Amino acid sequence: MSKIRVLIAKPGLDGHDRGAKVVARSLRDAGYEVIYTGLRQTPEAIVATAVQEDVDAIGLSILSGAHNTVFPRIIELLKEKGASDIVVFGGGVIPETDIPGLIDAGVAHIFTPGTPTEEVVKFLAEKVTPKNRA
Amino acid sequence: MNEFCNKVFSGDVRASARLMRLVDDRAEGYEEYMKEVWKHTGRAHIIGITGAPGAGKSTMTDKLIAKYRSMGKTVGVVAIDPTSPFSGGAILGDRIRMANHATDEGVFIRSVGTRGHLGGLSVSTMDIVAVMDAMGKDVVIIETVGVGQDEVEIAMVADTCIVVTVPGLGDDIQAIKAGIFEIADIFIVNKADREGVERTVKDLEMMLEMVHQRTGWDVQVLKTVASRDEGIDKVVEAIASHAEFFDKNIKAGRMEDRLLHVSYGVVREKIVKEIFKEEEIRALLKSGLDPYTAVEKLWEKRK
């Protein structure tokens, strides 16, 4: 009875969480357990939460333009905690030109505005197997 | 295996989080770990927080965490939210109100979906609490799903059971008097800045006079405005005096009952797993059998 667990988090200072909520709901409807932490999360808080909740993936919604600092910082912190196996993906307002750099930094995928939610579900189904082994 | 368990007993976050995952998934072999874990339990004080949806359970939990941390105690939290019966998925959002404690290493919060279990908890709740206890948390808080009348399993799992309600729901109090009314060690009327708070407190106190107290504990009714941190000190005091009463008068018997309750759950899971083969039952039902005969056939096949 293993279930994929995903943390949906909203780092940074902007207050627009509609996108994050829409993704959270579609993942729930696809049978995932979504841990939703709300607005204005620091990278440190996101990583601590991901480890405590033993999630398989972290989805970050960023509309504030801070993506080039937030994503690499989270990936670095995951490494520090020995939790690099957690898949990091993101979405929001992120210019196409920034995406290759983020992928290089270790982000698995960036979803641009207008992506159907089914694509996020499909991505996770392909990318993630639940970690029920000690 | 011992190495993994020792990590848990030393409070290692990653190992403990993974063990909770194994337990929640009922992953193969999780029982072997739990055999070790249950030997290391019985030290933490376990607080259950229950009540109707929107009564303020998460906010109350958040404030209690802060108080216990200021007293130097480490805290574990199991926050339970409902699993969708249709998709099997869940949105676990209790952490939103506990965000202040996300990076505090003395606090471990775990969100859990009910995964089809009734009673306000998940099947795994007791085991997850046991892991937190074995990790060395001083206090473990269980926040149930928003409950109505009958979700009383928390009374078995928790040492101190807190029922949170809000003013103005006269009918609500009528409704809870049978089920969760009887399990409260402490009643909290939250959002006490609202109209009707005195009336609600009176109603509760009157009803308490009519309820036979099984344990001899004098149930307290307290007022709080959790969002403004008002009245929380009194709650912590009440929990402390109940904890003292519990340790002296209830604990020994309750521990035995609790282990029995866990055992019952394990037996039920084992039997369902062994007998309830969905495909086989579907085939038998399709062949025209009634459910009783179908189960009888499977039961006999087992022998």
Side-chain angles (χ1 to χ4, degrees):
Chain A
M1 245 225 338
S2 58
K3 278 186 201 294
I4 292 178
R5 287 167 66 86
V6 183
L7 171 62
I8 297 293
K10 204 47 210 74
L13 296 174
D14 72 278
H16 307 283
D17 58 356
R18 195 177 147 69
K21 282 179 174 162
V22 168
V23 170
R25 193 173 311 163
S26 57
L27 292 177
R28 177 198 65 189
D29 291 344
Y32 296 175
E33 276 185 356
V34 181
I35 292 97
Y36 186 71
T37 54
L39 296 166
R40 298 184 189 90
Q41 299 289 299
T42 63
E44 286 76 9
I46 289 168
V47 169
T49 298
V51 172
Q52 286 179 9
E53 298 284 359
D54 195 27
V55 295
D56 302 291
I58 303 176
L60 301 170
S61 164
I62 309 187
L63 298 95
S64 62
H67 48 271
N68 283 333
T69 35
V70 169
F71 278 107
R73 179 75 183 131
I74 282 174
I75 283 162
E76 185 189 313
L77 287 168
L78 284 173
K79 223 173 262 168
E80 273 174 31
K81 301 264 182 196
S84 298
D85 52 320
I86 298 176
V87 173
V88 179
F89 66 100
V93 184
I94 294 168
E96 291 281 348
T97 47
D98 285 351
I99 292 176
L102 294 173
I103 302 291
D104 274 350
V107 178
H109 197 84
I110 297 287
F111 296 95
T112 46
T115 308
T117 52
E118 299 84 60
E119 274 190 37
V120 183
V121 173
K122 205 172 135 226
F123 159 80
L124 281 173
E126 282 168 8
K127 197 82 187 172
V128 170
T129 43
K131 296 175 293 196
N132 47 13
R133 290 256 177 283
Chain B
M1 187 183 78
N2 276 335
E3 196 191 335
F4 182 67
C5 286
N6 283 335
K7 274 190 184 170
V8 173
F9 302 150
S10 70
D12 183 274
V13 173
R14 193 112 167 94
S16 305
R18 179 56 48 87
L19 180 53
M20 290 173 196
R21 177 76 171 264
L22 302 179
V23 163
D24 210 17
D25 285 352
R26 296 318 206 205
E28 203 175 319
Y30 85 93
E31 297 99 331
E32 295 307 313
Y33 299 112
M34 287 315 295
K35 285 178 190 172
E36 294 304 311
V37 166
W38 274 102
K39 289 177 198 156
H40 286 73
T41 58
R43 214 188 52 87
H45 189 72
I46 303 166
I47 301 166
I49 300 186
T50 190
K57 296 184 294 296
S58 297
T59 309
M60 184 64 59
T61 304
D62 174 56
K63 301 302 174 191
L64 286 177
I65 297 171
K67 287 283 183 251
Y68 284 119
R69 290 302 292 144
S70 73
M71 293 158 70
K73 292 182 190 288
T74 56
V75 183
V77 177
V78 185
I80 303 155
D81 265 330
T83 295
S84 158
F86 302 110
S87 73
I91 293 181
L92 311 175
D94 288 324
R95 294 187 77 108
I96 294 173
R97 288 181 186 78
M98 305 173 203
N100 291 334
H101 310 290
T103 54
D104 180 348
E105 287 181 0
V107 180
F108 189 115
I109 302 170
R110 182 66 168 213
S111 312
V112 177
T114 52
R115 299 196 182 182
H117 185 68
L118 304 174
L121 306 176
S122 68
V123 169
S124 59
T125 299
M126 283 235 225
D127 283 333
I128 292 176
V129 170
V131 174
M132 288 185 174
D133 190 349
M135 281 174 80
K137 298 297 173 210
D138 299 315
V139 176
V140 177
I141 303 174
I142 306 166
E143 186 194 328
T144 74
V145 298
V147 299
Q149 303 182 301
D150 214 17
E151 293 87 348
V152 295
E153 194 182 355
I154 187 68
M156 178 62 74
V157 183
D159 301 339
T160 300
C161 199
I162 299 176
V163 176
V164 183
T165 185
V166 290
L169 298 174
D171 293 340
D172 177 64
I173 290 176
Q174 291 299 327
I176 61 177
K177 71 180 171 186
I180 63 173
F181 191 76
E182 291 171 54
I183 63 170
D185 298 307
I186 300 166
F187 257 110
I188 295 179
V189 182
N190 190 34
K191 308 188 185 182
D193 50 347
R194 287 195 186 169
E195 217 181 289
V197 58
E198 295 309 329
R199 168 84 201 274
T200 303
V201 170
K202 264 217 174 67
D203 283 352
L204 284 170
E205 284 171 344
M206 251 170 66
M207 256 168 231
L208 282 171
E209 283 171 18
M210 295 188 284
V211 173
H212 170 67
Q213 290 308 323
R214 294 163 298 142
T215 60
W217 164 253
D218 192 12
V219 179
Q220 301 193 31
V221 182
L222 302 171
K223 289 179 281 186
T224 61
V225 185
S227 60
R228 293 207 304 257
D229 208 8
E230 288 173 24
I232 309 297
D233 284 329
K234 285 263 181 335
V235 176
V236 172
E237 272 172 38
I239 293 170
S241 56
H242 182 262
E244 203 178 308
F245 180 87
F246 178 85
D247 287 346
K248 216 180 279 167
N249 304 294
I250 306 174
K251 189 166 183 174
R254 177 72 60 80
M255 286 302 171
E256 210 179 299
D257 289 351
R258 200 175 282 166
L259 295 179
L260 192 73
H261 187 75
V262 175
S263 308
Y264 177 75
V266 173
V267 168
R268 190 173 49 191
E269 278 184 80
K270 271 190 187 299
I271 290 184
V272 168
K273 203 172 153 192
E274 201 181 317
I275 308 285
F276 191 83
K277 310 281 186 209
E278 189 175 326
E279 289 309 310
E280 288 180 39
I281 293 193
R282 275 183 194 278
L284 288 170
L285 295 173
K286 259 192 203 132
S287 78
L289 290 185
D290 65 278
Y292 286 87
T293 312
V295 170
E296 218 166 71
K297 283 214 177 304
L298 284 178
W299 184 263
E300 277 162 11
K301 220 173 114 187
R302 182 188 131 265
K303 288 178 191 160

